[in-house]
Amino acid sequence: SKLSIDCDSYYSDLTIDSGFINNGTIELDALNGNYSSSLTITNGTLINATNGLFQTKNSTGGTRSFTGKMENHGTLKLDNNFSVSSSSFVNDTTGIINGSKTLSLTGTNLENNGTISPGTSPGTLTLNGGNLVNTSASNFNVEIGGYTAGTEFDKLIIQNTANLSGN
């Protein structure tokens, strides 16, 4: 199943009262630069399951945002900048965060028990706002194939503090 929240000439905001488990695809897209798309979970947690995909689509529109608690057990694919306002944001042991855009956190840190894989063969992933807290189970996966960051090898930019642990 697929939940697509996209906008063209209006804002697209979806608010869900209770947390849920995503076993399919959630897409946030904004086709017009003046408008944004957002998903809000007011109670509970959005669990992106092992086979789930949460993607910020690559188009010319405005911001893509999420408000609420999130556990990523699947893939969080950042093809566009993503703003998260949360009290809890966890990338679990099976979770993968990849892409070449900016993940901006407000109100939380990124607790990484899974894999962070910057780039899209290759590219630069930026973490802005919260701190990166890697646990002993975490992995960092990069491609190295030249001399230029972002075009020949992957790069992770952390604007605040990083607690490095794991593999």
Side-chain angles (χ1 to χ4, degrees):
S1 61
K2 180 193 244 182
L3 173 62
S4 183
I5 304 168
D6 58 346
C7 64
D8 186 3
S9 56
Y10 298 99
Y11 295 97
S12 292
D13 302 311
L14 176 62
T15 300
I16 300 174
D17 184 50
S18 297
F20 65 95
I21 299 172
N22 173 43
N23 286 300
T25 300
I26 296 174
E27 295 177 340
L28 292 178
D29 200 1
L31 305 173
N32 186 317
N34 297 321
Y35 300 99
S36 62
S37 59
S38 68
L39 174 61
T40 299
I41 306 294
T42 55
N43 296 298
T45 302
L46 168 60
I47 298 172
N48 193 38
T50 304
N51 57 341
L53 171 64
F54 192 113
Q55 180 179 16
T56 59
K57 300 279 287 192
N58 185 17
S59 56
T60 60
T63 61
R64 285 97 169 132
S65 62
F66 174 79
T67 302
K69 295 178 182 177
M70 181 186 284
E71 287 181 25
N72 180 44
H73 299 259
T75 300
L76 174 60
K77 186 168 176 43
L78 302 176
D79 291 331
N80 212 305
N81 296 335
F82 188 40
S83 297
V84 175
S85 179
S86 178
S87 62
S88 177
F89 189 80
V90 177
N91 190 41
D92 202 49
T93 55
T94 57
I96 299 169
I97 298 175
N98 67 7
S100 294
K101 297 297 180 177
T102 298
L103 173 59
S104 297
L105 300 174
T106 302
T108 191
N109 295 320
L110 170 57
E111 180 185 327
N112 182 39
N113 303 303
T115 300
I116 294 180
S117 183
T120 48
S121 294
T124 300
L125 178 64
T126 301
L127 177 62
N128 188 17
N131 299 320
L132 174 61
V133 181
N134 284 310
T135 67
S136 61
S138 66
N139 294 290
F140 182 59
N141 182 26
V142 294
E143 294 174 289
I144 300 173
Y147 300 101
T148 307
T151 58
E152 295 181 305
F153 64 87
D154 291 329
K155 181 178 179 180
L156 177 63
I157 298 172
I158 301 168
Q159 300 290 341
N160 285 351
T161 303
N163 176 358
L164 302 178
S165 185
N167 302 304

